Structure formats: C-alpha cells, structure tokens
Amino acid sequence: MDTEVYKIDQISVFIENKKGRFFSVTKVLKEAGVNIRAMSLADTVDFGILRFIVDKPKVAYDALMDKDFIARKNSVLAIAVDDECGGLSNLLGIITKEDLNVEYMYTFINALEKKAVMLFRFEDIDVAIEKLLSSDVELLNRDYIKNV
Amino acid sequence: MWDNPKNLLSRQDIENLQTELLRENIDYAFSNVKFYKEKFSKIGINKSSINSIEDIQKLPFTTKEDFRDNYPFGLFAVPMKNIVRIHASSGTTGKPTVVGYTKKDIDTWSDLVARVARSASVTDEDIVHIAFGYGLFTGGFGLHYGLEKLGAAIVPASSGNTKRQIMLIKDYGATVLVCTPSYAMHIAEVAKELGINPKEDLCLRVGMFGAEPWSEGLRKKLEEALGIKAYDNYGLSEAMGPGVAGECETQNGMHIYEDNFIAEIIDPDTGRPVKDGEYGELVITTLTKEALPLFRYRTRDITRLNKEKCACGSIFARMDKPIGRTDDMMIIRGVNIFPSQIEEVLFGIDGISPHYQIVINRVGALDDAVILVEANEHLFFDDMKHQRMLVDEINAELKSALGIEIKVKIVEPSSIERSIGKAKRIIDNRKI
C-alpha cells in the first residue's frame, strides 16, 4: 500500500522574533499566489518557527528561499477527530498506546463539518502511518487535504 | 619614592644596562633556542652586532604567529625540568599562546609586580582583594605572587559571585582591590544595590586595575564611587604578564620597567620607529627572562611613550593607555578574543562558515557580547528541540574555545549588514 499519500507537505520558516517578520513571510506567499491552509507559530525569546500547510508547497518553498528566508520542507500527518468532548483525548490515547513520539501538533480549523483536523509531526512518520492505519484513527490523505 | 633605587636610574644608565643585557640575551637565545639561532644566523646577527641601544633595530620582529608555529614549548630556552609554571593566552586560531617560567622568572615577575604595586602606593600594611580569575590567565597569579612578595595580606577571591566578593571586601577590610576596571564598577553598583556605601562602609583606598582598556572618565567614576585612587597597569603574557608597566602616584602614564624590558614604538606598516612621542605599535624586548627570552615582540597595542622625567622622580619611559590594536583582537570581560577563534568554532559545527557578527555592549558596568549567526539550511531545524540543541552545542563549543561565555543568536539570512560584500565582524558599542 502506498503510504506516501498520507504525508502532507509542510513548509517551516525561520523567523527572528521582531516586528514585521511574520508579515514579510505572508507577503511573499501572497505575491507567489500561494494559499495558506493551516499554520502554527512556535516562538522563543529570540526566534520563531512558522509552519504552513499550503496549496502549492513547492511554489511557496521556492518563493521564500528566493527572498532570503530559510525554509524547510517536511511531512506531517493529518488526522480527523470528532468535534466533541473527548475527541482529541481519544486520539492522543491511541498515539500514547502506540508509543509514537509527537514532536509538535497544531490544528486545521474549520476543515470538515463536525470534525476537527489535527496536524502531527511525528519523530518517525513511517512508523506512525503504519501504526495509525491499523488503529481506529481517521488518517486523511493528501488529496483530501487539498480539497478542504 | 617606591623604595627601589633601580627606579631612579638615569637615561644613560638605563641605556647602558639595556645594551649590555641585550647583548647577553642574544647570546643566550642563540645557544638555547633553535628558532632564534636560525633567525639570527640568517641575517648574520650576533652579540657583537649590538653596540648601542639603537642597534636593536637590526633584530627581526617576533610575532604571535611565531608562538603558534612553535606551539607549545618551541620558544623555551630551558629544559622542562627547569620550568615551574605554564600560563597561556588566546591565540589567533586554535591553539593558545603558551608561556613558561623558571623559578628565577617567577622571582623576577614577582619583583616587577611588587614594584608596580609599590608605585601605586601599596605596602605590606595593605589587605589586597584579588578578583582576577586564577588560572592560565596571567593576571590572577601574577598579581598574587607580586603582592605576596611585597608582604601584603592577600585575599585570593578569584572571579564570580559579586555579592560574596563584596561581603569579603567588607568583612576582611580590604584596602586594595585588584580586578578589571569594568568589574570594579560592577562591584560598586552591586554594593549600592545591597545598601552598602563603598565610601563609608568599605576600607578600600587603592584600585589596581588592568587587563582591558579603560578611560580617564571611568577612572574618575571609579575613584568617586569606591573612594579610592585607581591605578592602571599593563602587561602581556608573552612578555611576562602584569608587571611590564604601571602607574605611579602621578597617574600620568605607566612607567615601563626599563631595567627588564626595552620598549619601542614603531609604525605598524613600515616597521620603522616613529618620532619620539608619536603613536604607534608597542614592541617589547625582554632582558631578564630565562625560560622565554623575547626579542622585539609586536604587541599589536597602539600607544605612545613619554621619556621625560616624571614628577615622581623616575625617568622610566611612560606609556599611555593603549588606544587601540593593529589587529582585530577584542577584550571582553578582560579576556582576549580573536574573531578567528569564533570562526573556527562555527566552521566546526557547520562545515561551512556562516555569516556572523560579534556585537559587544556594556550593560551596566559589564561587557555583554552576543554572536549573531545567520541561519542557513544546516543551522535551521523544523523543531524547537533540535534548534535549541544546536544553539546549546555552539554555546558550549564557544565557551570551551574562548574561556568565557558568549551566546550565539541565530538570525535571518542576509540580516547582517555587509559593506561591499564583506560582513563587518565586530560591532563594539561600548563607550570606554
């Protein structure tokens, strides 16, 4: 089975923690005609890491690198959870039971009706796919995300 | 004045003594150091080439690179059996500059530092608090041995923990403070925060400050804040350590101990001597060292000499506070640092040298330095854990290479200003 379809392209960008940097990144994406589907910002005192799911990952990556940003392409998994009490807890219960290491996660808001979509970066994505596919988890594939 | 008849030699006596010692020293180095033997042979120099003090100009210069090329002990003139102490200071790259001392050298060094202290009015009645780091750096041990020789009571506090230092100064009734001038200012400020008025509550009367550049303005501030007279002294490990020169109570230039050293001022570009009283690079020749005789060592410090007789009675030439360097060495918290040392660490992490810049500020009285490093694909990870680990690793490498803690900050690509394609490596915002 092709598990590659579950790998959702994500772009991470290094930004300094100073005025206007976030805006500069979004401006580059706007000018490149890229639509942001989901994003998160992790920050420290000095710097931040912006992470995006976009409709055109390659275009976004090239545009950012071209404008002297440092970006990285990598893959995350998208998992749908019921938008009700205990939805996320049930999912995290499974992830814990399967002994998968989550490096970070964030949400994809308003993606599906009655469902929330969570994006997970696992330490080992292939192991995560294998274990999650055999669990009671709604793993979304690339096309699904594209059409959200 | 300063109890030592040598301090009152006439110019003629000094020059005769220097010429004689120089001749002997050339012979000594020729017989005991391969490096000098080759160097002197090549240009046909021997003791009979020196007939007056001006003849020193026939000798070739020695540089920091010569120390590096002969690392660690290649310039020593005695077997290791006779060496009783090793000190070291920053090299421009990789290996530090290593110096050695025989028992007699330690004696000579202690005498010199005792004279520096005595000229700054310190006596055996004084209680001296030494807040220089004790270690490979010559400052701590150099001042310690010299003041011990003078007979003062020493509190070897070493560096760190300012509150405790202040407690010791107060409780033990220290009358003399030895440290860097910026740390002395920090002590004054922290004392104030602790509700201690240094002028009322401490017994300090003299400060012997060195190891970094400082201004007349800072001197006045220190004297006012601590209720002391603040004296400057000068030295470098290659020549001995502290004890090369020091201020007398006139506080108008540092007397160079010309019975132990020959000082010249040269044009750093041409290597020719400058006119009397003009600024140039200080060049030092040692006359009394056993383990490591040094000929025409280029200190890279820019200063000038005043050979007029001082109000204190001594004719020993006085050097101004160095006003700069001919190389890119920085002094941060009293520690000598070359950008090339930082470059080496960054290269080791990344395999390619990223653009970087050292920004030095003075926060309160203390130096605060940060190294900005431009992010590149090797220096950016998608997750915080790896990103932090990288920064921690660089910080640890820097600390071990530089001997002091200077933190890196990863910044965006192209955010460090470049002039004509070349990055400016050092931004020094300190008002010294």
Side-chain angles (χ1 to χ4, degrees), chain A residues 12 16 21 51 68 72 104, chain B residues 377 380 382 411-414:
Chain A
S12 308
E16 272 179 70
R21 297 315 293 159
R51 303 182 183 114
D68 262 347
R72 256 177 193 269
Y104 54 80
Chain B
E377 278 139 289
F380 172 53
D382 157 61
V411 297
E412 286 172 24
S414 305

Side-chain angles (χ1 to χ4, degrees), chain A residues 10 12-16 21 42-44 47 49 51 61 65 68-70 72 74 104 121 123, chain B residues 375-388 391 408-415:
Chain A
Q10 175 192 251
S12 308
V13 189
F14 177 90
I15 54 168
E16 272 179 70
R21 297 315 293 159
D43 70 312
T44 67
F47 66 91
I49 300 172
R51 303 182 183 114
Y61 177 81
M65 292 299 276
D68 262 347
F69 282 97
I70 281 296
R72 256 177 193 269
N74 44 35
Y104 54 80
R121 167 81 175 164
E123 201 174 63
Chain B
N376 60 39
E377 278 139 289
H378 306 270
L379 296 179
F380 172 53
F381 295 93
D382 157 61
D383 66 304
M384 280 295 171
K385 191 173 77 187
H386 282 98
Q387 195 67 40
R388 279 274 39 118
V391 170
V408 296
K409 182 179 171 188
I410 312 278
V411 297
E412 286 172 24
S414 305
S415 61

Side-chain angles (χ1 to χ4, degrees), chain B residues 4 10 24 43 143 159 171-172 183 245 266 280 308 350 402-403 420:
Chain B
N4 193 325
S10 70
E24 282 171 23
I43 52 171
L143 266 301
S159 51
D171 294 354
Y172 301 172
Y183 191 65
I266 61 158
E308 273 166 38
D350 182 41
L402 306 177
I420 329 167

